[in-house]
Amino acid sequence: MYTLTASTLLKVWECGVGESSITRTLSLLAAAVPEQAISDLARLPIGRRDALLLTLREQLFGSCLQTVIVCPECHDSLALVFDVDQIRVPVESEPGEEFVCEVGDYQVTFRLPTSEDLLIVRHETERDAAKQLLLRRCLLRALHRGESATELPSPFTERVIERMAQVDPQGDVEIAVTCAVCGYQWQALFDIASFVWCEIAVWAKRLLGEVHILASAYGWAEADILKMSAWRRQCYLDLVQG
Ligand SMILES: [Zn+2]
């Protein structure tokens, strides 16, 4: 994975503002993994995409993840601190790989959802309709007692979706949380794509603030300030701010 410079990461952030979460995540990965075409990255199963994002996050900001979540029981805010390795799972699925599961009298062959699928499905405003569209895209074959079936009864579609999550666990990360205030325990969903993007937005705004202070004080160009290491920038900031 390519080490992103401050200038490149800032550009990715700027271009991603106003884009969907799926598009900006793909742009971020395309910058970090330039040997892979963005169309190939879009066809990675979500778990494989998120495994790359975890590696990128570790490279950019370290392995310790910190977030704040709200307890669904007492509504208190809780600080959650964990390591990248606690949510990293071995990813064995390959792009385009087919999986077979038995549900009732049906034998269903499916592939895992990708960013490309999510980009199409996001136009569906109804949650159920989006889920059905995603399933139709990923469902390759269905046999009912050995005969080709055109439709899968709805109770079985849920089972197929559950099976998809089981074979791609990195795409559906949950963290066991216990509320320190009321003791309530639950499994919290953790979306690495939104998390990393929020961190990049905070980093970018702080960096632009630093550029503003140094450019105002010394008259240096933005490009020259961005080329400095974070440590050197901080040394100058300390001098300017006394
Ligand atoms: Zn609580």
Side-chain angles (χ1 to χ4, degrees), residues 44-167:
L44 291 179
I46 297 304
R48 196 159 270 274
R49 179 203 71 173
D50 287 358
L52 282 175
L53 270 178
L54 275 180
T55 304
L56 178 62
R57 195 290 176 175
E58 204 170 6
Q59 199 183 78
L60 289 173
F61 303 122
S63 64
C64 180
L65 302 153
Q66 297 183 52
T67 188
V68 174
I69 56 169
V70 175
C71 170
E73 189 66 19
C74 70
H75 307 293
D76 221 313
S77 295
L78 307 168
L80 207 57
V81 182
F82 51 100
D83 196 86
V84 164
D85 282 342
Q86 286 176 258
I87 54 165
R88 203 196 298 272
V89 286
V91 177
E92 288 155 7
S93 57
E94 294 296 330
E97 188 174 346
E98 296 185 3
F99 299 87
V100 178
C101 71
E102 308 277 346
V103 282
D105 292 336
Y106 289 82
Q107 188 190 60
V108 178
T109 305
F110 65 88
R111 64 168 176 78
L112 293 173
T114 64
S115 303
E116 197 173 60
D117 296 316
L118 298 184
L119 277 170
I120 289 167
V121 163
R122 77 192 172 99
H123 296 298
E124 279 288 352
T125 47
E126 287 284 317
R127 191 177 160 80
D128 278 349
K131 200 193 270 186
Q132 289 305 321
L133 178 58
L134 185 67
L135 193 68
R136 275 203 302 280
R137 289 182 57 82
C138 297
L139 207 143
L140 304 172
R141 284 178 298 284
L143 294 175
H144 181 240
R145 294 175 184 169
E147 298 287 321
S148 182
T150 48
E151 280 209 22
L152 201 59
S154 56
F156 295 149
T157 60
E158 290 298 326
R159 301 260 299 277
V160 176
I161 290 168
E162 281 170 22
R163 186 71 190 127
M164 284 176 173
Q166 282 170 0
V167 293

